[in-house]
């Protein structure tokens, strides 16, 4: 069992102060402390007045309490705990109560809060599951969507989760945004996010079902989009089989290309530390070849500035001719 630093509170205060300017710029949802700054032991996210403490090592109950109390000293009102297993997909289903306790480990109970990102409000549920409604490392990608959505264009947001990308496309003036996910629950959550920004959220814009099946269906209909967003999990099981991003991303890009208008763009994300940027680009290139489309990259980036040294997230914007 690892030891916690003796100067824990001063260290957290110093690290969190480095991100304080985000709050004054209209962002109250961000990573306060990243694992590269804690020797891989823990990370701390801020969601408005609430902190979400992610543990990547086994700590004693006393150590967890001490760490949570130190996090609270940064000005947060409550701290929720997430114990992050190496393989979260299966463990999150069978050990949910232990991995993501529904009650805060420190401070007052705040099961729902509204936090801002670049002035856009999002509904965050710190007590929900290991995933709380938004991924802070994708902030730059959501900003990219806000800045590059074609005016009056059509946007398809696949693996939509709570529809953060779709929301930003709608705010940017897209004529149509379709959000697609395998969970009705998270799509309903996405509609709540739309409502927070005063946007109309008809059920027809929130498509429930398997992404690959929907891509085939949309392709047969001849529907085309000027922007397609791909943000799949790195690993998942479904009725269709096992998805592994390092094996299946080329096929996903090929199917997405079939519904991407000539000259349209695809924003592709992969959250997998074991897949290098070079390998990811080869997968995307292979998918474009399968689709018979010429491809060129228009942007390359990763997680935001509050993720120093992070290499897990790779984001590529590409144009398909």
């Amino acid at each position: 069992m690892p030891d916690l630093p003796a100067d824990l509170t001063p260290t957290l205060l110093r690290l969190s102060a480095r991100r304080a300017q985000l709050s004054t710029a209209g962002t109250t949802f961000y990573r306060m402390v990243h694992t590269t700054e804690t020797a891989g032991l823990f990370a701390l996210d801020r969601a408005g007045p609430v902190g979400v403490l992610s543990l990547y090592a086994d700590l004693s109950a006393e150590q967890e309490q001490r760490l949570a109390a130190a996090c609270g000293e940064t000005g947060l009102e409550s701290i929720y705990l997430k114990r992050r297993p190496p393989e979260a997909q299966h463990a999150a289903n069978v050990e949910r109560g232990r991995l993501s306790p529904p009650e805060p480990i420190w401070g007052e109970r705040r099961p729902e809060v509204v936090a801002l990102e670049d002035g856009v409000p999002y509904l965050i549920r710190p007590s929900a599951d290991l995933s709380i409604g938004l991924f802070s490392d994708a902030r730059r990608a959501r900003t990219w969507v806000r800045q590059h959505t074609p005016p009056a264009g059509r946007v398809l947001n696949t693996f939509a989760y709570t529809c953060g990308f779709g929301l930003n496309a709608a705010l940017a003036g897209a004529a149509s945004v379709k959000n697609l996910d395998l969970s009705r629950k998270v799509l309903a959550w996405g509609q709540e996010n739309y409502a927070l920004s005063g946007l109309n959220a008809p059920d027809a814009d929130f498509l429930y079902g398997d992404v690959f099946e929907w891509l085939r269906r949309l392709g047969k209909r001849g529907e085309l989009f000027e922007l397609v967003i791909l943000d799949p999990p790195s690993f998942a099981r479904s009725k269709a089989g096992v998805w592994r991003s390092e094996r299946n991303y080329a096929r996903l890009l090929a199917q997405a290309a079939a519904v991407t208008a000539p000259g349209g763009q695809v924003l592709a994300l992969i959250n997998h530390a074991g897949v290098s940027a070079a390998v990811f680009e080869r997968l995307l290139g292979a998918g474009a070849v399968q689709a018979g489309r010429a491809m060129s990259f228009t942007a390359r980036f990763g997680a935001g500035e509050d993720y120093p040294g992070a290499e897990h997230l790779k984001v590529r914007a590409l144009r398909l001719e």
Side-chain angles (χ1 to χ4, degrees):
M1 191 168 294
D3 293 327
L4 294 176
D7 60 344
L8 190 56
T9 298
T11 298
L12 287 171
L13 287 170
R14 175 178 55 82
L15 292 173
S16 63
R18 293 166 56 186
R19 275 79 161 180
Q21 80 282 356
L22 290 168
S23 299
T24 60
T27 293
T28 61
F29 179 79
Y30 57 89
R31 176 141 294 191
M32 294 179 72
V33 180
H34 188 48
T35 53
T36 54
E37 301 166 306
T38 67
L41 293 179
F42 67 91
L44 178 64
D45 289 293
R46 178 186 176 187
V50 173
V52 179
L53 174 60
S54 295
L55 299 181
Y56 295 90
D58 290 330
L59 299 180
S60 68
E62 185 276 331
Q63 287 177 313
E64 290 181 349
Q65 289 288 343
R66 180 185 160 213
L67 179 55
C71 291
E73 292 296 320
T74 62
L76 298 167
E77 296 177 4
S78 60
I79 305 293
Y80 281 83
L81 185 65
K82 310 294 178 185
R83 300 181 178 98
R84 305 282 182 181
E87 180 55 75
Q89 183 70 27
H90 174 68
N93 293 326
V94 298
E95 301 181 79
R96 183 171 299 174
R98 184 185 71 83
L99 298 179
S100 181
E103 298 300 322
I105 187 173
W106 182 91
E108 62 184 84
R109 188 173 183 271
R110 297 293 296 269
E112 287 190 353
V113 295
V114 174
L116 301 175
E117 185 181 81
D118 296 327
V120 179
Y122 295 88
L123 179 61
I124 307 297
R125 292 180 171 130
S127 64
D129 286 309
L130 288 174
S131 300
I132 62 173
L134 205 63
F135 297 104
S136 58
D137 56 356
R139 184 173 77 247
R140 291 180 67 188
R142 286 185 288 271
T143 300
W144 187 95
V145 168
R146 186 87 170 266
Q147 295 173 343
H148 294 86
T149 292
R154 300 191 71 208
V155 177
L156 177 64
N157 178 27
T158 69
F159 306 96
Y161 188 41
T162 61
C163 308
F165 290 121
L167 170 61
N168 277 276
L171 289 170
S176 169
V177 181
K178 299 295 184 184
N179 295 285
L180 169 57
D181 199 275
L182 191 56
S183 167
R184 296 185 192 275
K185 178 181 176 181
V186 296
L187 289 174
W189 194 339
Q191 288 176 296
E192 292 181 86
N193 280 331
Y194 269 57
L196 287 174
S197 287
L199 296 179
N200 188 31
D203 290 344
D205 289 346
F206 297 81
L207 307 178
Y208 163 74
D210 179 79
V211 167
F212 287 99
E213 291 180 4
W214 266 107
L215 288 174
R216 282 191 290 270
R217 191 179 309 175
L218 293 169
K220 287 182 178 179
R221 293 178 186 172
E223 295 196 40
L224 296 176
F225 300 86
E226 282 70 43
L227 174 60
V228 177
I229 300 157
L230 305 176
D231 187 18
S234 58
F235 174 84
R237 287 189 179 93
S238 70
K239 293 180 181 178
V242 175
W243 157 272
R244 291 186 183 275
S245 56
E246 68 272 26
R247 295 180 185 173
N248 305 117
Y249 216 116
R251 178 167 63 96
L252 173 62
L253 191 280
Q255 285 195 236
V259 298
T260 304
Q265 292 204 84
V266 174
L267 185 69
L269 297 86
I270 189 168
N271 190 333
H272 195 315
V275 177
S276 69
V279 168
F280 184 39
E281 293 193 3
R282 285 200 293 271
L283 290 170
L284 295 172
V289 169
Q290 289 178 30
R293 301 284 293 271
M295 180 193 81
S296 59
F297 290 106
T298 59
R300 295 176 169 93
F301 54 92
E305 66 271 15
D306 41 338
Y307 279 77
E311 298 180 351
H312 63 289
L313 180 67
K314 275 73 68 174
V315 186
R316 297 294 181 267
L318 54 102
R319 189 178 307 280
L320 293 173
E321 304 302 337

